[in-house]
Amino acid sequence: MSAPTHRRSIFLGRMPLPERNFITDALRTETVGGVLLLTAAVAALIWANTLGGSYRAVTGFHLGPASLGLDLSVQHWAANGLLAVFFFVAGIELKRELVAGELREPRAAALPVIAAVCGMATPAVVYFLVNSLGGGSLQGWAVPTATDIAFALAVLAVIGTSLPAALRAFLLTLAVVDDLFAILIIAVFFTSKINFLALGLAVAGLALFYVLLRKGVRGWYLYVPLAVAIWALMENSGVHATIAGVAMGLMLRCHRHEGEKLSPGERIEHLVRPLSAGLAVPLFALFSAGVSLSSGALRDVFTRPETLGVVLGLIVGKAVGIFGGTWCTARFTRAELNPDLKWPDVFAVASLAGIGFTVSLLIGELAFADSPALAAEIKASVLVGSLLAAVLAGVLLKIRNAKYKKLCEDEERDEDQDGIPDVYELDNPAYHLRMAAILEAKAAEHRRLAELASGAHAGDDGPA
């Protein structure tokens, strides 16, 4: 009797249609938001390097009720207020991935989670080594650990590369896990003095938010004021205020009940994601990415250990960490790569994950809050590192663009015009019957045209 064979799982294979459609819609919004983010970053750089005085005046302008502890600068409002919306969406994404997406099954989740963890740990190690050898500050170890999915998709849009759905989903899953660990890093390492009264009231507000959701209470006029109050209390507690956003996002129900087209979490994500991608994150970039890019500042990026560590962490650490983690996990779990793709495709996506713009800027501000000059240089290194990672990934992806284009066309082809891509109906007899009828109708039309052409040709050969 022969030994039982173990079926090898396929890595980056075809996704279930509902999951593919959901991710496609989500990434379409992120792509538009990424282009806006890129535009805002460029605008910030132009503003800061041409009218630097006005840029510093605007970003440093304080507004808000001081009696409530909210007399904050515009830059602070952008980092702690607007990014709370971004992390709220990230919380919903994470919850959905855990209950209905790539992370719902431990075996399937192992590969992207391990890849993401390696993609965060390796840049931190690179930064640590560079600064240990160069005598720099180790405070910025977390800066190169994040991936900015919106900026990455904007790069794809700009260079005109169409990634197959599986590669896009892999990139999104990496970014979701990245966001989770970034939140943990912010909460654990960048919380100093805690106001326990404010924190306790924030937790009580979160508990009320949870109870209202589980009771099925509806009405934005209840949830929005409560969310603002929770955010304000978290801001005053000493814990970074964006934690409130992700906590509320994780509380939403993201599994569908019978008869539901979308869960409450998915509906709210559809409403809030455009606000996050189209307004909150671009405004954060506008008020945070404006740094001096003089020749001296750019030279310091490659000579100062703190900034060099960030650049190498984003370019080398991210690519090596994600690719190495993916390859090792696939090897030890007996997962086979989709035969339509090659390992260089995985390396190209890993390089694209080196774009760490939004969260890296935020962590840079937190890590070097006591040294504004160094914080500005760290921001410059994030911009340079993300740009170089984008160029490297763009070159690698362009090499295989013809293959990607064909795969995308195959994924989108719908010859029977029923709204479902043909690759998802190959096991459906009704699909083949519809295609047979379509092809028979086309054959009949071609026979008719052939007869007409034959008659016209016979007439041409006859006597004048």
Side-chain angles (χ1 to χ4, degrees):
M1 183 176 178
S2 61
T5 59
H6 297 283
R7 185 179 178 183
R8 296 169 71 94
S9 60
I10 300 297
F11 168 52
L12 295 179
R14 188 184 307 150
M15 304 166 60
L17 183 59
E19 179 73 5
R20 174 190 173 278
N21 290 341
F22 185 89
I23 287 178
T24 298
D25 291 340
L27 293 180
R28 186 178 295 114
T29 304
E30 290 288 358
T31 301
V32 175
V35 173
L36 293 174
L37 172 62
L38 184 59
T39 304
V42 172
L45 289 172
I46 294 173
W47 186 4
N49 286 275
T50 56
L51 300 170
S54 67
Y55 182 82
R56 289 188 293 273
V58 171
T59 57
F61 181 76
H62 279 244
L63 68 158
S67 59
L68 298 178
L70 298 176
D71 181 22
L72 310 175
S73 68
V74 169
Q75 187 175 16
H76 194 120
W77 275 108
N80 288 31
L82 293 176
L83 282 193
V85 180
F86 166 80
F87 278 108
F88 175 69
V89 174
I92 300 175
E93 286 178 340
L94 177 60
K95 179 68 172 290
R96 189 189 167 280
E97 287 290 323
L98 289 170
V99 301
E102 291 290 306
L103 304 181
R104 69 185 183 279
E105 296 178 4
R107 183 177 178 182
L111 202 149
V113 169
I114 292 174
V117 171
C118 292
M120 297 189 79
T122 308
V125 170
V126 170
Y127 180 94
F128 181 85
L129 290 175
V130 171
N131 282 272
S132 294
L133 296 173
S137 171
L138 300 180
Q139 289 177 254
W141 64 269
V143 175
T145 60
T147 293
D148 192 314
I149 182 66
F151 216 133
L153 293 173
V155 170
L156 292 178
V158 170
I159 65 177
T161 298
S162 298
L163 280 186
L167 284 175
R168 286 177 177 259
F170 181 60
L171 182 61
L172 178 61
T173 305
L174 286 174
V176 169
V177 179
D178 255 14
D179 288 340
L180 169 63
F181 284 100
I183 291 159
L184 294 175
I185 287 171
I186 291 170
V188 174
F189 295 99
F190 298 106
T191 297
S192 52
K193 187 177 180 181
I194 296 179
N195 182 332
F196 287 99
L197 175 60
L199 181 59
L201 291 173
V203 172
L206 289 170
L208 177 59
F209 189 88
Y210 179 82
V211 170
L212 291 174
L213 288 173
R214 290 300 170 266
K215 293 292 184 181
V217 178
R218 296 189 176 187
W220 64 267
Y221 47 85
L222 291 175
Y223 289 102
V224 172
L226 178 58
V228 172
I230 293 170
W231 173 86
L233 288 166
M234 194 70 76
E235 170 67 23
N236 279 277
S237 72
V239 177
H240 201 270
T242 53
I243 305 300
V246 73
M248 288 183 279
L250 285 169
M251 290 181 182
L252 294 173
R253 176 169 64 83
C254 290
H255 62 274
R256 300 175 188 177
H257 288 167
E258 187 176 352
E260 283 186 334
K261 290 185 177 181
L262 294 174
S263 65
E266 290 170 327
R267 287 199 306 272
I268 293 173
E269 183 181 1
H270 281 177
L271 291 173
V272 181
R273 184 187 287 277
L275 176 64
S276 169
L279 182 65
V281 176
L283 282 178
F284 167 76
L286 180 64
F287 296 125
S288 294
V291 294
S292 173
L293 293 180
S294 64
S295 58
L298 291 175
R299 183 179 63 252
D300 289 344
V301 165
F302 296 100
T303 56
R304 183 160 186 159
E306 294 90 348
T307 51
L308 181 60
V310 170
V311 172
L312 292 179
L314 290 171
I315 300 172
V316 179
K318 272 289 183 183
V320 172
I322 292 174
F323 180 81
T326 303
W327 188 85
C328 290
T329 307
R331 183 175 179 84
F332 288 113
T333 59
R334 297 176 57 82
E336 288 183 345
L337 183 65
N338 181 345
D340 290 329
L341 299 171
K342 305 295 182 185
W343 281 107
D345 299 323
V346 179
F347 185 81
V349 172
S351 300
L352 191 62
I355 301 173
F357 189 77
T358 304
V359 179
S360 290
L361 288 177
L362 175 62
I363 295 177
E365 290 181 1
L366 297 174
F368 297 100
D370 56 348
S371 179
L374 182 52
E377 292 182 357
I378 289 293
K379 287 184 181 181
S381 68
V382 170
L383 295 174
V384 171
S386 297
L387 176 62
L388 293 177
V391 171
L392 172 62
V395 171
L396 295 175
L397 292 170
K398 271 296 185 182
I399 294 173
R400 294 269 290 167
N401 192 43
K403 178 67 174 179
Y404 298 151
K405 188 175 181 180
K406 183 180 183 303
L407 290 174
C408 289
E409 289 173 352
D410 292 341
E411 291 175 355
E412 298 294 334
R413 186 175 294 113
D414 183 18
E415 292 188 356
D416 62 342
Q417 298 295 307
D418 67 342
I420 301 174
D422 295 340
V423 293
Y424 288 94
E425 297 192 285
L426 297 179
D427 296 330
N428 182 3
Y431 160 75
H432 293 287
L433 292 174
R434 287 194 299 272
M435 287 303 302
I438 291 170
L439 294 175
E440 287 169 1
K442 287 182 177 180
E445 176 63 14
H446 281 292
R447 280 193 293 270
R448 185 184 70 81
L449 294 174
E451 291 172 358
L452 290 175
S454 178
H457 183 69
D460 292 339
D461 293 340

